[in-house]
Amino acid sequence: MPDDIARWLTEHAHPLGTLTPGTPAEDLKPLGAALRGTRIVGLGESTHGTAEFFRLKHRIVEFLVREEGFTTLAMEASQSAGHALDAYVRHGTGDPERLVAQLGFWTWRTREVVDLVEWLRAHNRHLPEESRVRFVGTDPQRCADSVEAVAAFLRRTAPERAGDVHALEVLARARPASLPDPERALMRHAEEVARLVADRREQSGPGDGADAALEHARVLIRAADLVTRPFDPSAGEESVFAARDRYMAEAVTRLVDDAPKARVMVWAHNGHIAKGTYGEQVPALGSRLRERYGDAYYALALFFGKGSFLARRGDGLQGPPIPHRIGTGIRSLEARLADAVRGDYYADLRTGTAPWLHTPQMQRSFGANVPRFAYRFHTAPLVPAQDYDGLAFVARSTCSRLLPGTET
């Protein structure tokens, strides 16, 4: 099998001359050719704490926006806080570091993500409104901005009902499955508040922030759904994990279906952008996009050979992310990719029919948290061509650079 991989990659791998944003993009032309005819590209990552992944994705975003006409960056980040960051990207409103820090997860509070956001702003600065690239969060979690937006709207349009939002304040920080409730009382309350917002919008018209308030109210419904579902990975389509990926897929679907010319870049973990399932057979975000859009969705996984990455230790929600180190190893797909071709490269898995592309393998997969000692053995199954359409391989990983004060 390793020889099979080496032979195929010798013919199909395209070396990446650099991972540095702002450099000439000739080496990304093969990726652009592979994306002709697509509407959506998933930009994956096997860790949430690798600087090289973030820099390469920044470089890919630059290329796709400038050369291929992509219009929107959709990120595995707070839908609620994404609105304010979009206002910065399109109109220069606010401070980019503060807005990135509010995206809900420590993983994005890095210098690399701020650099990308500042590039998006610089790109948009002198463009007409209709040509500016958008930023959208896809994850209903961490919705403090939505709580405040809905409360402010009701204080203005229905002051006698403004207190109805108080019960939803827990959604500002509550995590999925943290408040399991078979009766779904919190979700029903969020639906009632959304109906109230919709009613006031109907009476006052869509201006005066009514449209934005209604969208924020709908975010609260989705967040309440995730918070009150039980933590049961084996529940299939009813699990909190499946619901989260379904909501993220619906966010991308709205972007594509509401704008016929939209082309969307989806930034998320490899597990989410995959075309199949992850964990205990949870249908991934990418599987839903492939089911709806067929080959117009392209899943690009990012892997690395060896090095270090940031992650929290254990299952705790507090404490700073710390460096974790790992060698190339011998059993994972990444070990074989490292042995087959030296350096950094991209390969389109839609070309060729080599057996290894359709043979079960094991990939390394690290989230925002990793087990205290056993993370080095943490792998997940995959069949390369069934789960992904392309791969980018980075030979060495180093830790992403956290913004000051990033501890949660």
Side-chain angles (χ1 to χ4, degrees), residues 15 50 132 180 188 211 213 239 271 283 313 329 342 364 395 403 407:
T50 290
R132 295 176 185 175
R188 293 202 311 273
D211 283 347
S239 73
R313 178 181 291 168
R342 300 301 179 188
R364 296 188 308 208
L403 297 177
E407 296 181 354

Side-chain angles (χ1 to χ4, degrees), residues 4-15 340-341 346-348 351-354:
D4 179 37
I5 293 177
R7 283 193 297 270
W8 188 88
L9 284 174
T10 297
E11 181 179 351
H12 293 92
H14 302 279
V341 176
Y346 157 74
D348 180 20
T351 60
T353 57

Side-chain angles (χ1 to χ4, degrees), residues 62-142:
E62 287 185 3
F63 170 71
L64 295 181
V65 169
R66 285 174 166 167
E67 304 294 333
E68 300 297 329
F70 276 76
T71 62
T72 305
L73 176 61
M75 194 176 214
E76 180 193 345
S78 166
Q79 273 187 326
S80 178
H83 291 278
L85 187 54
D86 182 53
Y88 172 77
V89 164
R90 289 201 286 167
H91 306 297
T93 305
D95 173 74
E97 288 195 13
R98 183 182 65 82
L99 294 170
V100 166
Q102 292 176 340
L103 285 178
F105 307 99
W106 70 261
T107 52
W108 315 136
R109 299 173 192 172
T110 68
R111 184 69 253 167
E112 292 82 9
V113 173
V114 172
D115 288 345
L116 170 58
V117 166
E118 290 179 334
W119 179 85
L120 290 171
R121 175 61 197 142
H123 173 81
N124 283 338
R125 191 180 307 275
H126 301 298
L127 293 177
E129 176 69 24
E130 65 274 11
S131 299
R132 295 176 185 175
V133 180
R134 295 182 60 192
F135 178 92
V136 175
T138 62
D139 196 328
Q141 294 186 69
R142 305 300 180 92

Side-chain angles (χ1 to χ4, degrees), residues 18-23 28 45 50-62 110-113 115-116 267 302 344 394 396-401:
T18 180
L19 305 178
T20 304
T23 53
L28 294 177
E45 56 198 35
T50 290
E52 286 73 16
F53 287 165
F54 291 177
R55 286 173 23 225
L56 176 56
K57 289 208 274 190
H58 179 165
R59 189 166 179 250
I60 290 172
V61 168
E62 287 185 3
T110 68
R111 184 69 253 167
E112 292 82 9
V113 173
D115 288 345
L116 170 58
W267 179 313
L302 270 63
D344 309 326
V394 172
R396 179 172 291 276
S397 168
T398 62
C399 295
S400 54
R401 297 172 295 160

Side-chain angles (χ1 to χ4, degrees), residues 43-48 76 267-274 365-367:
L43 302 177
E45 56 198 35
S46 60
T47 92
H48 282 319
E76 180 193 345
W267 179 313
H269 195 276
N270 282 349
H272 293 304
I273 63 101
S365 181
F366 308 106

